[in-house]
Amino acid sequence: MIKKALILLAIVFVAAACSSSDEGPGTTNDNFDRTALLTNLADNIIVPALENFQTKLSDLDVARGNFINDINESNLNLLSDAWLEAYKAWQHIEMFNIGEAETQGGSAKGFVVFFNIYPVTVSEIENGAASGVYDLNSANYHDAQGFPALDFLIHGVAVSDTNPIEKFTTNANAIGYIDYMTNVQSQMNSKFSAIINDWQNTYRDIFVANLASSSTGSFSKIVNDFVFYYEAGLRRNKVGIPAGNFSNMPLPEKVEAFYKKDVSKILALEAMNAVVDFFNGRSFDNSTNGEGFANYLDYLERSELKTAIIDQFNTARQKIEVLDNNFYQQVNTDNTKMTEAYDALQMAVVLLKVDMMGAFQVSLDPGYQDNDGD
């Protein structure tokens, strides 16, 4: 109830802030150089992060091909390593649900539906491997593809098997599992290729040039994407849902990377780093600080808010760092630490969603309000 009230307050506050402006699309209420900010975000953070993911996704595809051509434990372990590296790179781009990424998937979740809807529905994979009949473009298979599906295929044990590699060797549907893995990888390659080509060929210039202060302007959209990812992708999905903050009991089976299990904290901290660096305008290669949300708040003489957000990020990171590497294990042995991490993450949601968006005079997108999960 308190959370609902806070969100309602945020909506009212932000709406009031926006309604105070008499300026229309194409203008802003201050003289902050939003072109410099959008240029820094595009050239030094977003595109480099997308290019890094492209490299890791390609490495994953090579490892998958090597495994299929010579199925053995060593190549399966190399495939697992490549999967983790690509999954870590994904943590830096999931928040960029804008441009071509936003149009994919047919919902407000955009391209995420092809890469990271979890928990995976194993029965869909099992049935697909057995029958050869499935459609990864169908909404019915959003929870049976991407990194969670590869997690099950690489690390999970199929019905009637005793270890993961038997899916591809002795299982009666071995050819079906190989085909399913190949098709999941092809889907990821295809969807992402369209996204990065869009950024590299046309969308970068469109993004930087769109200075409209309306909800369709680049600044409004990227602020919404950033805050939504922090609230839902990081706080809710990685910590809150497994800890039971959205149910009557803990749900440890809903952790990210459930079948690998021991990488939960690695992925959560990678996501935390991505959030902090983006807020600070820190380049993806960690070499420079440019225009970002942090110095925009300084410009607006809201440095105390900037400091409060950074301090809360640091507190949340510290709470995550003391968790077990395996969040499934953490929930089952000491869920209090998980709920403490959630509470620390939640404290920053108020600062971002109410105070920062209010300072920027940015309102919540309709899609945000429909999908925040609270």
Side-chain angles (χ1 to χ4, degrees):
M1 181 64 72
I2 293 175
K3 187 161 48 183
K4 289 285 187 184
L6 284 172
I7 292 172
L8 179 61
L9 176 63
I11 294 170
V12 171
F13 182 88
V14 172
C18 292
S19 65
S20 66
S21 169
D22 293 325
E23 299 180 1
T27 61
T28 59
N29 294 329
D30 57 60
N31 292 320
F32 185 80
D33 189 351
R34 288 190 176 185
T35 297
L37 183 148
L38 294 175
T39 299
N40 181 53
L41 298 183
D43 294 348
N44 296 322
I45 301 177
I46 298 175
V47 172
L50 292 173
E51 290 174 341
N52 177 65
F53 182 70
Q54 183 182 42
T55 299
K56 300 302 183 183
L57 191 61
S58 177
D59 293 343
L60 175 61
D61 199 13
V62 170
R64 178 203 56 79
N66 291 339
F67 171 70
I68 289 175
N69 289 331
D70 186 5
I71 297 176
N72 58 59
E73 290 286 353
S74 176
N75 281 342
L76 184 62
N77 290 334
L78 292 173
L79 177 58
S80 175
D81 292 344
W83 167 85
L84 179 57
E85 290 303 309
Y87 215 168
K88 288 163 62 178
W90 166 258
Q91 307 302 322
H92 290 264
I93 70 166
E94 185 175 328
M95 73 178 83
F96 306 139
N97 189 21
I98 189 170
E100 175 64 23
E102 185 181 21
T103 65
Q104 292 186 359
S107 71
K109 295 178 181 176
F111 73 142
V112 177
V113 301
F114 301 115
F115 290 88
N116 201 30
I117 298 298
Y118 59 93
V120 64
T121 301
V122 171
S123 61
E124 299 283 8
I125 300 176
E126 302 271 16
N127 293 336
S131 67
V133 178
Y134 48 91
D135 180 3
L136 296 180
N137 287 312
S138 166
N140 294 332
Y141 286 88
H142 287 170
D143 56 357
Q145 60 186 293
F147 288 104
L150 293 179
D151 180 30
F152 168 72
L153 290 165
I154 297 170
H155 309 110
V157 178
V159 174
S160 79
D161 290 348
T162 57
N163 61 64
I165 202 169
E166 290 179 5
K167 284 193 294 294
F168 308 100
T169 54
T170 59
N171 191 289
N173 299 320
I175 298 299
Y177 284 115
I178 291 172
D179 288 344
Y180 200 97
M181 174 185 281
T182 298
N183 289 329
V184 167
Q185 179 79 50
S186 295
Q187 175 83 330
M188 296 167 77
N189 293 347
S190 174
K191 297 298 181 183
F192 185 71
S193 178
I195 292 168
I196 194 166
N197 286 339
D198 187 42
W199 270 97
Q200 291 175 331
N201 294 322
T202 58
Y203 190 69
R204 181 268 175 202
D205 291 343
I206 294 172
F207 175 79
V208 171
N210 185 356
L211 298 176
S213 60
S214 66
S215 62
T216 60
S218 294
F219 183 71
S220 175
K221 292 178 75 67
I222 201 67
V223 168
N224 269 274
D225 283 356
F226 171 78
V227 179
F228 179 79
Y229 175 70
Y230 180 85
E231 182 178 16
L234 174 54
R235 178 209 62 143
R236 182 188 65 191
N237 295 349
K238 296 181 193 302
V239 179
I241 289 177
N245 288 89
F246 298 88
S247 57
N248 295 325
M249 63 182 70
L251 302 170
E253 71 279 7
K254 294 195 175 185
V255 298
E256 192 172 32
F258 170 74
Y259 293 95
K260 184 68 172 71
K261 283 190 168 63
D262 60 353
V263 298
S264 311
K265 186 165 74 176
I266 290 174
L267 298 177
L269 287 175
E270 201 75 34
M272 195 75 219
N273 290 339
V275 164
V276 173
D277 287 347
F278 191 82
F279 176 81
N280 287 318
R282 186 82 176 159
S283 62
F284 180 74
D285 65 4
N286 206 32
S287 64
T288 59
N289 276 348
E291 299 293 338
F293 297 164
N295 57 1
Y296 196 170
L297 289 174
D298 283 335
Y299 175 86
L300 296 172
E301 299 183 346
R302 296 299 308 274
S303 297
E304 90 292 346
L305 174 58
K306 179 197 74 174
T307 300
I309 291 171
I310 292 173
D311 287 348
Q312 197 56 47
F313 282 162
N314 289 334
T315 299
R317 187 203 304 276
Q318 291 167 3
K319 293 293 185 182
I320 295 172
E321 285 176 339
V322 300
L323 299 176
D324 195 287
N325 291 334
N326 180 342
F327 285 1
Y328 177 84
Q329 182 74 10
Q330 184 67 62
V331 171
N332 281 313
T333 58
D334 185 3
N335 194 43
T336 298
K337 289 183 178 177
M338 282 288 283
T339 59
E340 288 176 350
Y342 173 83
D343 290 343
L345 288 163
Q346 170 61 23
M347 290 294 289
V349 170
V350 178
L351 297 172
L352 295 170
K353 198 171 180 180
V354 179
D355 300 322
M356 186 185 79
M357 293 183 74
F360 291 159
Q361 298 194 22
V362 168
S363 56
L364 295 177
D365 287 344
Y368 192 134
Q369 297 173 42
D370 293 339
N371 290 281
D372 66 2
D374 291 342

